[in-house]
Amino acid sequence: MSSTPAIHITGDEAADRVLAEDPFALVVGMMLDQQYPMEHAFRGPAKVLERFGTLDPARIAAADPEEFASVCATPPAIHRFPGSMAARLQELAALVQERYDGHAERLWTEATSGKDLLKRVQALPGFGKQKAQIFVALLAKQLDVRPEGWEQAVGDYALEGYRSVADVVDGDSLQKVRDFKKAAKAAAKAKTAG
């Protein structure tokens, strides 16, 4: 039996197992991580798997958009904006199918450097520079995917501490990341107000 790296982001053992065992699930969880609590976003792939029966990118990309949106909106929904996220998920699945033959892990196993990996992740729908940096940091810190130059590519997200979902390994670290984000938001708000 191969040892699958343990991921503990969601607070739900079954949802975390899906993230650990399916590279596409991890990419989907990261995509959903916006304007939504991170542990709920990363539970999204398990909900899709349970309701749709598969996380196969080809099947998701080929699904009827209205039916797939309905699957994603069924309470508890995969996101607070289930319709737009369902469409983005199908777009992501289509890209992974087209560029990587449905194998999301090829995003990182074929990357030639940290810079290349960051560029590949930024090409995904819903991944701006910051989200791509966080995902590359998550791959490095939790899956030991560390192409040369990954630290430079992700900037401060490579540092020790509790800056992002890349640093979440249990409930305690989840709270520390929340506190960090709250403090950073307050500091940014104070700076613009001053």
Side-chain angles (χ1 to χ4, degrees), residues 22 24 52 54-63 89-90 92-98 101-104:
D22 187 330
F24 185 62
F52 190 64
T54 183
L55 282 171
D56 175 45
R59 298 258 312 274
I60 290 173
L89 175 45
Q90 285 194 284
L92 175 66
L95 186 142
V96 168
Q97 183 59 35
E98 182 184 309
D101 199 28
H103 296 278

Side-chain angles (χ1 to χ4, degrees), residues 76-134:
I78 66 163
H79 195 274
R80 66 187 254 208
F81 303 115
S84 60
M85 286 300 168
R88 186 172 290 162
L89 175 45
Q90 285 194 284
E91 191 184 337
L92 175 66
L95 186 142
V96 168
Q97 183 59 35
E98 182 184 309
R99 286 196 193 160
Y100 303 103
D101 199 28
H103 296 278
E105 69 277 10
R106 285 178 53 196
L107 270 161
W108 52 90
T109 61
E110 295 176 1
T112 57
S113 65
K115 187 177 178 181
D116 180 46
L117 177 54
L118 183 67
K119 184 177 155 195
R120 287 163 168 261
V121 176
Q122 273 188 265
L124 301 174
F127 282 77
K129 183 177 182 185
Q130 184 180 29
K131 182 179 286 208
Q133 288 177 312
I134 292 169

Side-chain angles (χ1 to χ4, degrees), residues 145-189:
V145 172
R146 297 171 178 231
E148 188 178 335
W150 76 268
E151 297 99 328
Q152 292 79 13
V154 305
D156 283 353
Y157 295 110
L159 302 175
E160 290 297 313
Y162 301 97
R163 289 175 165 69
S164 73
V165 71
D167 303 305
V168 175
V169 294
D170 56 24
D172 185 45
S173 55
L174 174 67
Q175 188 56 52
K176 288 178 179 173
V177 168
R178 261 210 182 83
D179 294 344
F180 177 85
K181 286 180 162 190
K182 192 176 180 180
K185 248 184 204 166
K189 194 174 185 178

Side-chain angles (χ1 to χ4, degrees), residues 26-98:
L26 196 60
V27 175
V28 170
M30 190 72 221
M31 183 205 74
L32 293 172
D33 185 15
Q34 72 177 53
Q35 300 179 308
Y36 199 51
M38 65 189 99
E39 70 275 22
H40 294 295
F42 279 89
R43 286 180 197 148
K47 292 174 187 173
V48 172
L49 177 60
E50 183 183 312
R51 298 169 191 172
F52 190 64
T54 183
L55 282 171
D56 175 45
R59 298 258 312 274
I60 290 173
D64 175 89
E66 282 185 28
E67 288 175 22
F68 190 70
S70 175
V71 163
C72 293
T74 300
I78 66 163
H79 195 274
R80 66 187 254 208
F81 303 115
S84 60
M85 286 300 168
R88 186 172 290 162
L89 175 45
Q90 285 194 284
E91 191 184 337
L92 175 66
L95 186 142
V96 168
Q97 183 59 35
E98 182 184 309

Side-chain angles (χ1 to χ4, degrees), residues 130-142:
Q130 184 180 29
K131 182 179 286 208
Q133 288 177 312
I134 292 169
F135 188 69
V136 171
L138 185 151
L139 291 171
K141 291 179 175 185
Q142 300 208 23

